[in-house]
Amino acid sequence: MLEEAGQRNAGRAGGPTRSMLLKDRDKPTRCPALIEFESVEEAMRNSDDPETSAMAQRLNALSIGERVYTDCDLWDMRDLT
């Protein structure tokens, strides 16, 4: 599903700029997903998109336990190489 969403959003104006799917080593059933946008406004437009809601419902059907959404602002990012 995430690959499908990535293809749907590729090159779409206002869509996500980057996504990361992580797997918690201590809790292997926990898989946080980080989705980046250029602005909070673009993120909110994406959240309001019916296709995004449909994908969220499909992911919910596969989830164990409660899904948690967190809205974060980027505070600092650095290349360390």
Side-chain angles (χ1 to χ4, degrees), residues 21-32:
L21 182 60
L22 309 173
K23 183 175 180 181
D24 188 327
R25 286 188 225 155
D26 295 326
K27 298 178 184 175
T29 59
R30 184 174 179 263
C31 299

Side-chain angles (χ1 to χ4, degrees), residues 5-74:
Q7 290 174 359
R8 179 175 51 87
N9 287 312
R12 185 178 99 181
T17 57
R18 178 183 299 164
S19 67
M20 291 178 269
L21 182 60
L22 309 173
K23 183 175 180 181
D24 188 327
R25 286 188 225 155
D26 295 326
K27 298 178 184 175
T29 59
R30 184 174 179 263
C31 299
L34 302 173
I35 313 298
E36 293 181 13
F37 293 85
E38 286 294 325
S39 70
V40 68
E41 293 82 15
E42 290 177 358
M44 297 312 295
R45 275 193 294 275
N46 185 74
S47 292
D48 292 337
D49 185 326
E51 289 185 37
T52 300
S53 297
M55 185 182 78
Q57 288 177 347
R58 293 189 346 237
L59 286 172
N60 189 44
L62 298 173
S63 297
I64 298 169
E66 180 183 353
R67 286 181 305 151
V68 177
Y69 293 96
T70 305
D71 292 330
C72 300
D73 290 321
L74 178 63

